[in-house]
Amino acid sequence: MRTHNRRTALALATALTAGLGSAALTALPATAADDSVKVQYRTSAAGATADQAEPWFKVVNNGSAAVSLNQVKFRYYFKADGPDTQYRYACSWAVRGCANITGTFGTLAGPTATADRYLEIAFTAGAGTLAPGADTGDMQLRFHRADWQPLRQSDDYSFDGSRTAYGDWDKMTAQLGTATVWGTAPGGNTPDPTPTPTPTDPTPTPTPTDPGPAGATLFDDFTYTSSTDPAMAAHGWSVRSNPGGPGVPGAAWSPENVTFAAEGGNSIMNLETSTAGTGESTKHTEVLTRAAKFKNGTYAARVKFSDAPKYGPDGDHLVQTFFTINDLKAPMADDYAEYDFEYLPNGGWGEPSNILYTTSWETYRPDPWEAVNQHTESRISYAGWHDLVLTIDDNAITYYVDGQVFGTHDARYLPERPMSINFNQWLIDLNGQPGSSPRAYDQKVDYVLHVKDQVLSPAQVAARVGAYRTAGTAFVDEVPNG
């Protein structure tokens, strides 16, 4: 969360291609024919080890006739970290659409010192055709170990950490129909027309080091006595007290302003933010999970936004939130992720009055400010209780408010790393109400739910929460760390 105008969003293409350059491509061995293709490669994760491999590709039609992409397959060869190591494929973003690109793992019949597995990429009919000389545009692909342990890629046949700009790459093979038309496989292996299934293809039986089965759930009804209740820490929550942004410089983050009370038959968490018009008198509030272990799946919370203060004069530029986030490791790092519900009851960031934002983040640079995100907004009052649902799968990010789709954001903004779950309330600045009279605002939270790797409808969320409450279950956390 940062203090800036969320209406500022730069084109993704500009941010992602900045610095890639336009180095001349070196011709590599391949025989052009009436029908022929070649593969260009770069890596977005250049380290000898990485949380996940990030090979990005383009397929180029270097023949003289149009090519149907559903006749094209190509292979990226790598050395597994162990004979039983399993891998997962994902597409972050692709010009031709992630839904039109498939990834399948296979095992080489003749393994070498640098390759015993491969990732085969293929296309559906929806990917279309390539005219002579045309390319597919970016295919930003990735794969990771099923147990989310760091993978070693320095010994992988098709990996080259120095290739941070696209270039022809003959350490991959491409097929057009059943003919190999590009590249050299490790040890002279010739790709088969159909991948050899391996144990990485089916969904494995979870082990203690696996990231857990789909459907693993976090649910919390916030049945606590105070912010110092030992059960909060035992259940994985942190109540922020450390100074810093976002918000008014000099403000404190005050655990004592996070309280709990019964309301409407349920236990409710309340975040109070207060000020008397100075940074030193301003108290913000935030509650977040200590573990960053949440990624794809469904996130839901019932939140009460406030337009008016609980006491004192109105007008402050207030932000009331429910969001997921991970850390920005470097300016414009492409493995950053953040997904926000943000309600501004009195405007701010250049807005004059009520506005609700949902924002999906790819990355940003704090200084000078540069942002890569997609957002949806509604300029009406959202005072009162609202059911907020966010779903993330391999194709899109979808936000719901009170059972209705509020915004759907593109696959290019999908998360690469797990995140924490957060609620906070804070003041952007003190310009909306410059007076020195004390005032305070409340944001209330009824429950939070996360269901790993499953997309639930808002009705299914309500049914799941109702079942927990009927059973008297106030807290459950089945989502493993990792």
Side-chain angles (χ1 to χ4, degrees):
M1 310 294 297
R2 294 165 299 283
T3 54
H4 59 86
N5 184 344
R6 291 302 176 98
R7 300 181 66 187
T8 301
L10 302 181
L12 178 74
T14 301
L16 289 178
T17 58
L20 295 186
S22 55
L25 304 179
T26 303
L28 295 172
T31 302
D34 289 344
D35 295 320
S36 187
V37 297
K38 64 181 180 180
V39 180
Q40 295 182 345
Y41 159 80
R42 59 156 293 197
T43 181
S44 185
T49 61
D51 290 338
Q52 54 189 341
E54 297 184 44
W56 293 8
F57 306 110
K58 293 180 182 180
V59 172
V60 180
N61 182 353
N62 62 335
S64 57
V67 169
S68 295
L69 282 172
N70 65 353
Q71 297 298 307
V72 175
K73 297 178 182 178
F74 62 92
R75 290 182 177 181
Y76 179 93
Y77 299 93
F78 64 98
K79 180 77 170 178
D81 288 348
D84 299 321
T85 305
Q86 299 172 336
Y87 294 87
R88 297 288 179 270
Y89 156 83
C91 173
S92 296
W93 182 69
V95 172
R96 297 278 172 149
C98 283
N100 296 316
I101 300 171
T102 64
T104 306
F105 293 101
T107 300
L108 285 177
T112 71
T114 58
D116 55 14
R117 307 274 185 93
Y118 59 82
L119 171 64
E120 181 169 277
I121 304 301
F123 301 87
T124 70
T129 61
L130 281 182
D135 65 63
T136 57
D138 274 346
M139 290 181 279
Q140 297 177 10
L141 310 185
R142 52 192 167 92
F143 65 92
H144 60 84
R145 287 177 51 150
D147 59 8
W148 273 109
Q149 294 300 304
L151 58 79
R152 182 176 61 255
Q153 54 181 357
S154 56
D155 60 352
D156 292 347
Y157 178 81
S158 295
F159 171 75
D160 186 340
S162 69
R163 289 182 171 263
T164 56
Y166 278 114
D168 294 0
W169 190 228
D170 68 345
K171 286 193 171 182
M172 299 178 57
T173 55
Q175 289 179 270
L176 185 56
T178 59
T180 299
V181 295
W182 176 259
T184 303
N189 294 312
T190 301
D192 301 322
T194 303
T196 302
T198 75
T200 63
D201 289 333
T203 301
T205 301
T207 68
T209 57
D210 272 346
T217 299
L218 166 72
F219 171 73
D220 202 328
D221 218 3
F222 294 115
T223 308
Y224 303 108
T225 58
S226 70
S227 63
T228 59
D229 188 334
M232 284 203 76
H235 290 170
W237 294 104
S238 175
V239 184
R240 182 175 175 181
S241 60
N242 58 295
V248 174
W253 294 84
S254 301
E256 65 272 17
N257 282 11
V258 176
T259 57
F260 300 86
E263 183 176 318
N266 297 315
S267 178
I268 302 299
M269 178 171 67
N270 188 70
L271 284 71
E272 178 188 286
T273 291
S274 60
T275 189
T278 66
E280 292 72 20
S281 67
T282 301
K283 295 183 177 180
H284 297 152
T285 43
E286 181 167 21
V287 175
L288 65 154
T289 61
R290 291 199 307 271
K293 62 179 184 177
F294 309 97
K295 197 163 174 269
N296 286 16
T298 300
Y299 300 80
R302 183 166 172 79
V303 178
K304 187 176 184 180
F305 296 131
S306 302
D307 277 356
K310 66 191 300 183
Y311 63 79
D314 196 3
D316 284 295
H317 292 155
L318 184 72
V319 185
Q320 301 178 321
T321 75
F322 166 43
F323 64 103
T324 68
I325 193 171
N326 60 30
D327 57 321
L328 182 73
K329 293 185 177 297
M332 301 304 285
D334 62 5
D335 62 350
Y336 176 75
E338 180 183 345
Y339 306 94
D340 304 328
F341 288 92
E342 295 173 306
Y343 181 56
L344 283 60
N346 295 315
W349 295 325
E351 291 290 333
S353 59
N354 320 74
I355 187 166
L356 175 64
Y357 286 105
T358 60
T359 310
S360 300
W361 289 83
E362 169 65 18
T363 190
Y364 72 98
R365 177 172 54 217
D367 186 22
W369 178 255
E370 184 176 0
V372 184
N373 62 33
Q374 184 176 1
H375 61 88
T376 304
E377 67 277 336
S378 177
R379 293 175 175 83
I380 61 173
S381 171
Y382 281 87
W385 285 104
H386 296 283
D387 294 304
L388 309 178
V389 176
L390 160 68
T391 64
I392 303 173
D393 59 20
D394 288 335
N395 299 304
I397 304 107
T398 305
Y399 298 84
Y400 299 84
V401 177
D402 298 330
Q404 302 299 311
V405 174
F406 185 88
T408 301
H409 296 168
D410 299 340
R412 70 190 71 177
Y413 303 103
L414 291 172
E416 285 84 14
R417 289 188 290 120
M419 302 167 287
S420 62
I421 295 175
N422 304 53
F423 300 90
N424 67 16
Q425 184 180 222
W426 48 282
L427 298 175
I428 298 171
D429 52 44
L430 297 171
N431 300 329
Q433 170 50 260
S436 59
S437 297
R439 60 266 190 190
Y441 301 83
D442 283 342
Q443 174 186 337
K444 297 181 178 182
V445 184
D446 185 5
Y447 70 83
V448 67
L449 174 75
H450 171 70
V451 181
K452 175 182 167 58
D453 294 334
Q454 287 187 354
V455 171
L456 303 185
S457 68
Q460 290 171 320
V461 166
R464 184 73 63 93
V465 172
Y468 279 126
R469 286 178 164 169
T470 298
T473 301
F475 174 80
V476 62
D477 186 3
E478 306 162 335
V479 182
N481 291 316

